[in-house]
Amino acid sequence: MCGIVGYIGHREAYPIILKGLKRLEYRGYDSAGIALYDGTDIKLSKTKGKVADLEERLEKEISTTGTLGIGHTRWATHGVPNDVNSHPHYSNSGDLVIIHNGIIENYESLKKELIKRGYTFKSDTDTEVLVNLIEDVKKKEKTKLGKAVQIALNQVVGAYAIAVFDKNKPNEIVVARLGSPLAIGIGEDEFFIASDASPFIEYTKNAIYLEDEEMAVVRRHKGIKIRKIKDDSLVAPYIQELQLNLEQIEKGGYEHFMLKEIYEQPSAILDTFRGRLLSNEAIIKMAGVEDNMKKFLNANRIIIVACGTSWHAGLVAEYIFEDLARIPVEVEYASEFRYRNPIINENDVVIAISQSGETADTLAAIKLAKSKGAFVFGVCNVVGSSIARESDAGAYTHAGPEIGVASTKAFTTQITVLSLIALRLARAKGTISSSDYRTHLLELELIPGKVKTALESDAYVKTVADIYKDAKNFLYLGRGYNFPVALEGALKLKEISYIHAEGYPAAEMKHGPIALIDENMPIVVIATKKGHYEKVVSNIQEIKSRSGKIIGIVTVGDKQVKELADHVIEVPETIESLTPLLTTIPLQLLSYHIALMLGKNVDQPRNLAKAVTVE
Ligand code: G6P
């Protein structure tokens, strides 16, 4: 969580950092701050609130000149969001200034030591401890900033991406990473530092992604020196050419990123299977799967680890893998898996699903799985992310940047990749007939068009949203492949509208949630033609007899549910395993419209962050 940006070069740093922070706000947005240095005075301004609040205040407070600068947008861990706890933080002498994404776990013991040595602290943050630790080392060892950072970090337990500069060294910024991402953009005689490449994409396509336990001294005119924090060995910089473009990270005429990303799903799904699904030849080509086919085929079971929406995609995958490829699957919250001493060995395949590729719990879960000998396959969206790199093999979703905090296209593209893998394995194992296999491929190819059709319900979904926007609770029900979709629909509504919502398997309703049903309870029921249709219709009857309000998600042309439900939203027909790709669409739109009507910040819901890089 938290976004960091830095610049050193020949341009004014302020506009670059400000724009960069706006692009990184998805990482956290409870407070923000910027420090600029023109070689004479450090100018620092920070505030609780969003980057726009900072902008308003900063320009009144300080002069914005300086060709060196660092900025931060925060998601609070240690210390409530307020002006003082916002970054950047000064060291006691006022010489060092730092920004930090991550958590210093042993900050309390370090702080006690520093207090004994006479240091004082203004904030409650672990970051202020770190900058003073660096200062202390620098003074004690009479050493340069880079060395002091290195010695200090060797005393630190936790996770960090940091950028720090020294008033006495106006031509250098020192950066380091462990567990939180850090990219360095390389321009002509200028360098950009950021949590991801989006802040500098219009300036350079060349970037270095620091690896864990690496640090770099970035010097104006002189370039970059990368070292291992532990053993001081030099690392040859590996410069990557970025594939990202500006258009992908802008709203492109949509009011919100979330809406843009919902509407991007037809093309995102197409991009996910482009070049992998060759329906004429009835072939699925995925290098990561082919190269490791034996591992998959000999696996005792597949364990899927993920968090949030990605965990829901994992649940859908459980149905797909077991149904088509007949491989036993367990789906685990990464945060639980990592701490419960799981029984796992070299005969297990672990699939880690993560949009950002940076979720701390998922990363820790795969490290644990690897240490026990399991083969780890990553399904990530962000190319070059930590989980992608830590995995033994993997497949990207190729959804393009997802910026809205509520995940949408990541979910459907993850299901697409996982469907491809399951189908490929089913074919290799012979658990699917060649005609069924062909049908699946052809149907998958039709999905982008069908998602487009599903999006046509938008205006109607909006009228439904208007009717139920003031409800205090929602229930979402689904069965089989659409049970995880019910969970995802409820999560979307909670995340952005703050309305309490629960997802349930439709048949479980009678074991508890049915007690909640009265005339004020809207219940979204996924009742597509394939998959336990008659049973779900019975569940709808049960709701009806208790006066609940029913919003049915049905297959086009449905008659039975239409007669019972208060509203029906149609989606095109497809084979059962692919229905989640269509039924999800109206649920995304419903939560979007309700949140918007309630005046909520759709792209930046309270308390949430897009990439959760802390436990
Ligand atoms: C956060 C985001 C969710 C996301 C989850 C897992 O909670 O707000 O949208 O589903 O993290 O993130 P990942 O990047 O691992 O998919």
Side-chain angles (χ1 to χ4, degrees), residues 77-244:
T77 56
H78 292 68
V80 295
N82 62 25
D83 293 2
V84 179
N85 287 334
S86 310
H87 301 213
H89 288 283
Y90 275 117
S91 63
N92 272 194
S93 70
D95 283 355
L96 307 189
V97 189
I98 197 170
I99 47 173
H100 168 216
N101 165 207
I103 291 183
I104 307 301
E105 288 171 14
N106 59 339
Y107 83 105
E108 279 190 68
S109 55
L110 294 169
K111 190 171 182 176
K112 274 191 199 137
E113 260 318 295
L114 288 166
I115 289 172
K116 273 193 216 152
R117 303 167 71 80
Y119 285 85
T120 56
F121 295 88
K122 295 192 180 80
S123 77
D124 305 317
T125 64
D126 48 346
T127 307
E128 198 188 4
V129 175
L130 179 59
V131 72
N132 281 305
L133 179 66
I134 297 169
E135 175 153 295
D136 191 52
V137 171
K138 193 169 169 285
K139 281 188 186 151
K140 256 194 329 206
E141 307 283 330
K142 296 196 177 40
T143 183
K144 289 183 187 165
L145 179 64
K147 194 73 198 164
V149 167
Q150 186 182 14
I151 296 170
L153 290 180
N154 274 312
Q155 298 175 32
V156 151
V157 179
Y160 51 78
I162 57 163
V164 53
F165 70 87
D166 180 351
K167 194 175 180 187
N168 305 304
K169 290 275 179 188
N171 293 318
E172 125 183 346
I173 300 181
V174 177
V175 298
R177 111 158 234 183
L178 174 62
S180 302
L182 197 144
I184 306 172
I186 304 170
E188 298 237 336
D189 222 11
E190 59 181 349
F191 300 96
F192 307 82
I193 291 147
S195 301
D196 69 34
S198 62
F200 54 78
I201 194 66
E202 62 264 60
Y203 306 106
T204 178
K205 292 273 186 216
N206 296 323
I208 296 171
Y209 287 90
L210 279 197
E211 297 285 345
D212 273 348
E213 300 186 339
E214 283 181 1
M215 59 175 290
V217 178
V218 183
R219 288 202 185 93
R220 208 193 301 263
H221 312 306
K222 287 196 180 150
I224 299 177
K225 212 162 242 174
I226 305 175
R227 290 179 186 280
K228 293 266 180 219
I229 296 168
K230 275 206 178 121
D231 64 13
D232 198 41
S233 55
L234 276 176
V235 176
Y238 171 58
I239 302 177
Q240 296 187 30
E241 196 179 323
L242 299 169
Q243 302 302 322
L244 194 68

Side-chain angles (χ1 to χ4, degrees), residues 306-311 353-360 362 379 387 402 404-408 410 414 488 491-492 495 608-612:
C307 301
T309 290
S310 297
W311 184 76
I353 310 174
S354 175
Q355 188 286 128
S356 62
E358 301 295 344
T359 301
T362 311
V379 174
I387 293 171
E402 189 181 68
V405 166
S407 190
T408 52
Q414 285 164 347
E488 175 61 7
L491 178 66
K492 284 292 86 84
E495 281 178 318
L608 298 179
K610 184 82 187 148
V612 182

Side-chain angles (χ1 to χ4, degrees), residues 13 30 39 63 76 142 156 177 179 195 213 228 267 292-293 295 297 315 356 365 442 494 522 555 560 607:
D30 58 41
S63 105
K142 296 196 177 40
V156 151
R177 111 158 234 183
S195 301
E213 300 186 339
K228 293 266 180 219
S267 61
N292 298 288
M293 189 55 92
K295 294 257 181 217
L297 296 183
L315 288 180
S356 62
L442 290 172
K494 273 185 272 212
T555 310
Q560 242 178 306
N607 302 341

